[in-house]
């Protein structure tokens, strides 16, 4: 039992009163052992008072130690704020711990004990006190204090008298009943027993303690708290990751098909913390930039004061060329550079793309009589139809390349087998896109490769995707009918290329080509699959095309 | 016992035309300072400031956005998640005021439905260059049922008041809807 009284004048400063109990018998419930405790907030101190009854019997001091630990861990007060974890005894500023702790006097027989008591040599007797020994060994009540004991043991008397236990057991007198405390600024005024009370086999003990209490100056507290909050805010703001960018706008002038153009973006970490950067996708987009653009590296780490160089590279390939050629897309993008837990930076990418016959459809190219780059911009190619001019049979660019090869490379050894030069390809491309010279620059091998690239870059292959399946089905019995169903310009291109390749095969002694080599190379360009191609399919396309190399066409 | 430095976190967003002073408004509020050099915000920046309202410590995370038109489609993606949006115009710039309805539409389209909105007419210290009468700002705010202040980041007029009022309005809403903290 624990009775808690408050003087009237202090009542208004007391709050958050909670009481709890915990049992320590078998299963933590049975029996009459355990603790009751009350906690409260007094001014700005949290105070807890515990009354307990620990395990009995002289030899059971370890059991008592265990009871103490169980009480400390299992006794938990609810908090007013349900989101806060519950409070344990040890979380309080002041703890007063009282009760029948039941520690005995050991290693002295009953006569010696009584002799020391009669001489009032409590100091010597105290050395045999289990509680003192256990505290000295730091086995229990760590951090607790107790005042000097100047009274005789309070246990065990014959009830109703001041006589030591006269029963058969004749128990050794002991200081079972104790008052301990933990906390700062606590002074004991007195610690005594009350021999006059005879209703129990124990004598009660009492103590008067003067306890220093924390009282916060609300105004100063508020001011200090605000200052701390301000400083924390300031620190947090200063610790937001930050970088400076060497440039915010990048312009890529005259981007061309299959031509790398790169610019460097330097990031300098001018913040007070290391930072992690990453280019992130804009809303409703899945990638962080347009397909013709890359940033390398797209993410990384910069130490404080460090810097990183990022290559922004424009590269237009056969996938991205068609929409740029037709003007549906421009070289224009905004990159979002995100710093983890920090700012986002926008980086503008602008530029212009020089349209090319590479990545332009056969149909469109047949409608353009002048070089593609002489075309007025903003004029989308399909509108040309309305000009009423007669359209070309095949794209003039294709004719220029094939004618060049026919005239110069028909006997060239390893033609279509040796790679060309990258720089020569650039010259050939520029030549096709800007003018109509009598002959093309570069070696025969480079022109041959330029031709292959041209076929590869066609948005719609020579045999359009919609006819692909049909061609596969008749591959073993290829006939003209499928080809004759193609759109006229596609049909023309197909027959033109097949005728050229047959011319090449007539000179196989010199150019070392055969039907197998040519069908392997050209089938995959002319008969492109709308989806991923497997090996059987690949063989069928070659079979189909081989037919036209061997038998020729009737036209 | 260790105390958290705040009870609630509110995310606020500053939007409006380029050059109306969004960054300066934020800088005045967070650092109590003013800088006359104009550096266009090209991206998204933020600062935090903790304030106390009705006994609650409220941490404001305030996002500053690029005002330039070419970034609008990107910046609108940052609206979601904002609990309060400050829409700023410049009282010396008629165009910035005309665009208010466009910005309000942007909020309708991209922000949370229960977002708390506020209209600020900034640069009110420049009375001699004023082209937007205060009454016009008040009127459009009334029409849309939102609060309105004329502010000056330079002369420190109504800046703190505007932020605290917006935070208070959000706090009230949080109470009503019974959000748990």
């Amino acid at each position: 039992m624990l009775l808690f009284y408050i003087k009237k004048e202090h009542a208004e400063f007391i709050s958050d009163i909670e009481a709890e109990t915990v049992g320590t018998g078998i299963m933590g419930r049975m029996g009459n052992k355990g603790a009751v405790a009350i906690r409260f907030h007094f001014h700005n101190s949290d105070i807890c008072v515990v009354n307990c009854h620990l395990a009995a019997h002289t030899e059971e001091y370890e059991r008592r130690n265990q009871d103490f630990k169980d009480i400390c861990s299992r006794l938990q007060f609810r908090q007013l704020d349900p989101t806060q974890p519950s409070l344990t005894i040890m979380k309080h500023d002041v703890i007063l711990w009282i009760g029948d702790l039941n520690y005995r006097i050991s290693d002295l027989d009953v006569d010696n004990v009584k002799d020391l008591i009669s001489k009032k040599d409590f100091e010597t007797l105290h050395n045999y006190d289990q509680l003192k020994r256990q505290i000295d060994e730091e086995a229990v009540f760590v951090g607790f204090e107790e005042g000097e004991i100047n009274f005789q043991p309070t246990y065990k008397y014959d009830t109703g008298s001041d006589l030591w236990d006269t029963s058969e057991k004749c128990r050794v007198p002991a200081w079972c009943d104790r008052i301990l405390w933990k906390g700062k600024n606590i002074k004991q005024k007195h610690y005594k027993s009350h021999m006059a009370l005879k209703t129990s086999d124990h004598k009660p003990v009492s103590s008067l303690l003067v306890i220093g209490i924390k009282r916060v100056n609300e105004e100063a507290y508020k001011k200090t708290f605000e200052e701390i909050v301000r400083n924390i805010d300031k620190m947090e703001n200063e610790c937001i990751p930050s970088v400076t960018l060497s440039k915010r706008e990048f312009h890529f002038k005259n981007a061309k098909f299959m031509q790398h153009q790169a610019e460097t973006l330097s990031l300098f970490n001018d913040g007070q913390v290391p930072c992690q950067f990453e280019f992130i996708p804009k809303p409703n987009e899945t990638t962080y930039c347009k397909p013709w653009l890359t940033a390398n590296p797209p993410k990384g780490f910069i130490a404080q004061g460090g810097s990183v160089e990022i290559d922004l590279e424009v590269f237009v390939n056969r996938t991205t060329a068609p929409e740029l050629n037709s003007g549906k897309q421009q070289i224009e993008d905004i990159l979002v550079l995100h710093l983890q837990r920090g700012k986002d930076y926008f980086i503008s990418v602008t530029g212009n793309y020089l349209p090319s016959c590479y990545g332009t459809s056969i149909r469109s190219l047949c409608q353009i009589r002048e070089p593609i780059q002489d075309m007025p911009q903003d004029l989308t190619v399909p509108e040309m139809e309305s000009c009423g001019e007669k359209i070309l049979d095949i794209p003039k660019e294709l004719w220029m390349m094939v004618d060049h090869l026919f005239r110069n490379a028909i006997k060239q050894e390893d033609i279509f087998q040796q790679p060309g030069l990258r720089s020569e390809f650039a010259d050939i491309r520029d030549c096709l896109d800007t003018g109509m010279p009598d002959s093309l620059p570069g070696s025969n091998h480079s022109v041959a490769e330029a031709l292959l690239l041209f076929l590869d870059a066609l948005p719609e292959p020579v045999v359009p995707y919609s006819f692909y399946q049909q061609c596969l089905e008749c591959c073993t019995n290829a006939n003209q009918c499928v080809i004759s169903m193609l759109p006229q310009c596609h049909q023309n291109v197909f027959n033109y290329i097949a005728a050229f390749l047959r011319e090449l095969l007539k000179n196989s002694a010199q150019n070392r080509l055969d039907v197998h080599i040519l069908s392997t190379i050209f089938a995959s360009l002319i008969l492109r699959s709308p989806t991923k191609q497997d090996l059987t399919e690949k063989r069928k396309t070659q079979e189909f095309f081989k037919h036209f190399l061997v038998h020729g066409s009737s036209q | 016992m260790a105390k958290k430095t705040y009870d609630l976190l509110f995310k606020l967003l500053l939007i409006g035309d380029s050059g109306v002073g969004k960054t300066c408004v934020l800088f005045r509020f967070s650092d109590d300072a003013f800088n006359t050099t104009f550096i266009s915000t090209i991206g998204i920046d933020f600062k935090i400031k903790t304030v106390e309202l009705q006994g609650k410590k409220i941490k404001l995370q305030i996002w500053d956005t690029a005002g330039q038109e070419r970034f609008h489609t990107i910046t609108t993606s940052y609206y979601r998640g904002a609990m309060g949006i400050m829409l700023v115009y410049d009282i010396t710039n008629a165009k910035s005021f005309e665009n208010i309805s466009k910005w309000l539409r942007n909020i309708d389209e991209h922000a949370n439905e229960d977002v708390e909105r506020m209209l600020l007419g900034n640069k009110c210290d420049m009375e001699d260059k004023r082209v937007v009468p205060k009454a016009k700002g008040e009127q459009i705010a009334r029409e849309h049922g939102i609060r309105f202040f004329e502010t000056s980041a330079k002369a420190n007029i109504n800046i703190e008041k505007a932020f605290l009022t917006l935070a208070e309005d959000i706090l009230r809403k949080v109470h009503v809807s019974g959000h748990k903290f």
Side-chain angles (χ1 to χ4, degrees), chain B residues 3 9 29 43 58 66 75-77 83 91 104 111-112 117 120 122 126-127 130 138 155 176:
Chain B
K3 261 188 179 168
L9 176 70
F29 182 60
I58 296 168
T75 51
T76 51
S77 68
M83 300 160 86
I91 67 151
L104 284 167
N112 291 344
R117 298 164 302 165
L120 300 184
N122 194 37
M126 295 164 76
E127 200 53 56
R130 176 192 285 274
E138 287 167 340
V176 171

Side-chain angles (χ1 to χ4, degrees), chain A residues 149 198 220 320 392 433 476 491 514 517:
Chain A
I149 301 179
K198 300 181 206 300
T320 51
L392 303 169
D433 291 339
T476 46
Q491 203 179 325
D514 62 35
I517 295 171

Side-chain angles (χ1 to χ4, degrees), chain A residues 60-73:
Chain A
E60 291 288 354
Y61 63 89
E62 281 180 335
R63 177 77 243 160
R64 290 187 271 283
N65 293 355
Q66 184 59 47
D67 284 353
F68 169 82
K69 282 181 197 130
D70 287 351
I71 292 166
C72 287
S73 64

Side-chain angles (χ1 to χ4, degrees), chain A residues 284-315:
Chain A
N284 308 321
E285 285 178 28
T286 49
T287 53
Y288 68 84
C289 66
K290 296 275 172 64
W292 40 261
L293 182 66
T294 46
N296 194 21
K299 58 180 170 183
F301 170 86
I302 317 175
Q304 187 191 351
S307 51
V308 155
E309 297 210 328
I310 296 171
D311 279 333
L312 295 181
E313 187 182 54
V314 168
F315 183 72

Side-chain angles (χ1 to χ4, degrees), chain A residues 46 83 221-222 225 229 232-233 236-237 240 248-249 282-283 334 336 341-346 348, chain B residues 1 3 5 42-50 52 57 59 66 70-71 73-75 77-78 181:
Chain A
D46 285 304
T83 62
Y221 174 82
K222 201 173 163 212
F225 191 86
V229 168
I232 292 173
D233 282 358
E236 197 174 334
N237 280 328
I240 294 173
R248 299 298 278 266
E249 306 203 349
K282 294 176 281 298
I334 296 170
V336 181
R341 291 184 303 107
K343 314 172 184 189
D344 289 357
Y345 300 84
F346 299 159
S348 302
Chain B
M1 269 179 297
K3 261 188 179 168
T5 53
I42 300 179
I44 306 287
D45 202 349
F46 73 91
K47 284 193 179 285
I48 63 119
K49 179 160 173 157
T50 311
E52 188 168 336
K57 307 266 184 307
K59 184 166 168 177
R70 59 193 170 120
F71 300 126
T73 46
I74 306 178
T75 51
S77 68
Y78 293 85
F181 322 131

Side-chain angles (χ1 to χ4, degrees), chain B residues 88-134:
Chain B
V88 189
Y89 70 89
D90 172 1
I91 67 151
T92 70
N93 177 342
K95 186 83 192 145
S96 75
F97 182 73
E98 285 160 24
N99 282 334
I100 288 300
S101 33
K102 192 191 73 191
W103 286 109
L104 284 167
R105 267 201 309 282
N106 264 345
I107 296 175
D108 285 345
E109 277 171 39
H110 300 283
N112 291 344
E113 209 169 286
D114 61 348
V115 71
E116 199 61 48
R117 298 164 302 165
M118 175 176 273
L119 182 65
L120 300 184
N122 194 37
K123 307 193 187 177
C124 73
D125 57 297
M126 295 164 76
E127 200 53 56
D128 52 330
K129 290 192 178 143
R130 176 192 285 274
V131 294
V132 183
K134 192 174 178 182

Side-chain angles (χ1 to χ4, degrees), chain A residues 67-303:
Chain A
D67 284 353
F68 169 82
K69 282 181 197 130
D70 287 351
I71 292 166
C72 287
S73 64
R74 285 175 41 215
L75 196 141
Q76 300 197 331
F77 298 102
R78 283 170 308 170
Q79 294 254 56
L80 283 176
D81 179 352
T83 62
Q84 295 283 314
S86 50
L87 270 180
T88 57
I89 295 168
M90 290 304 167
K91 291 264 177 67
H92 291 76
D93 302 314
V94 173
I95 303 161
L96 306 179
W97 197 302
I98 66 174
D100 179 2
L101 307 189
N102 245 332
Y103 286 90
R104 307 301 171 88
I105 282 163
S106 51
D107 302 332
L108 265 185
D109 63 36
V110 67
D111 294 332
N112 281 331
V113 172
K114 288 180 179 171
D115 183 46
L116 285 170
I117 294 170
S118 64
K119 285 192 251 172
K120 290 200 183 300
D121 188 357
F122 299 133
E123 204 182 322
T124 308
L125 191 59
H126 196 212
N127 288 329
Y128 295 91
D129 173 43
Q130 288 176 336
L131 180 59
K132 177 183 156 52
R133 288 180 175 183
Q134 292 302 305
I135 290 177
D136 287 349
E137 283 178 27
E138 300 195 336
V140 76
F141 284 105
V142 177
F144 279 79
E145 291 176 69
E146 188 187 17
E148 196 185 327
I149 301 179
N150 274 316
F151 49 86
Q152 66 182 50
T154 56
Y155 180 80
K156 177 182 183 176
Y157 297 90
D158 288 342
T159 306
S161 75
D162 292 338
L163 296 174
W164 297 117
D165 179 27
T166 56
S167 73
E168 251 174 67
K169 291 182 186 165
C170 190
R171 294 190 196 274
V172 181
W175 283 298
C176 286
D177 310 289
R178 311 289 276 265
I179 293 173
L180 290 87
W181 68 85
K182 187 173 184 240
K184 286 178 191 160
N185 291 316
I186 301 176
K187 284 202 176 65
Q188 194 171 46
K189 286 296 182 187
H190 71 235
Y191 188 25
K192 58 190 179 191
S193 69
H194 299 267
M195 294 299 286
L197 291 161
K198 300 181 206 300
T199 51
S200 156
D201 54 355
H202 289 257
K203 297 293 179 188
V205 296
S206 71
S207 177
L208 176 66
L209 298 163
V210 177
I211 300 171
I213 291 295
K214 283 192 282 184
R215 235 172 91 183
V216 170
N217 176 335
E218 284 303 330
E219 209 166 297
Y221 174 82
K222 201 173 163 212
K223 224 172 134 185
T224 312
F225 191 86
E226 272 171 12
E227 204 177 303
I228 291 167
V229 168
R230 233 186 352 263
N231 280 329
I232 292 173
D233 282 358
K234 194 168 168 244
M235 262 166 50
E236 197 174 334
N237 280 328
E238 282 168 355
C239 288
I240 294 173
S242 164
V243 293
T244 43
L245 284 69
S246 59
K247 261 169 92 176
R248 299 298 278 266
E249 306 203 349
F250 290 85
H251 190 78
F252 292 89
K253 208 177 156 197
N254 297 338
K256 291 176 182 174
F257 178 76
M258 292 269 276
Q259 185 159 301
H260 290 267
Q261 252 197 66
E263 294 241 17
T264 305
L265 161 67
S266 307
L267 302 182
F268 171 68
N269 183 348
D270 63 352
Q272 300 196 6
V273 285
C275 74
Q276 210 119 20
F277 70 88
E278 183 177 5
F279 289 98
I280 56 167
K282 294 176 281 298
N284 308 321
E285 285 178 28
T286 49
T287 53
Y288 68 84
C289 66
K290 296 275 172 64
W292 40 261
L293 182 66
T294 46
N296 194 21
K299 58 180 170 183
F301 170 86
I302 317 175

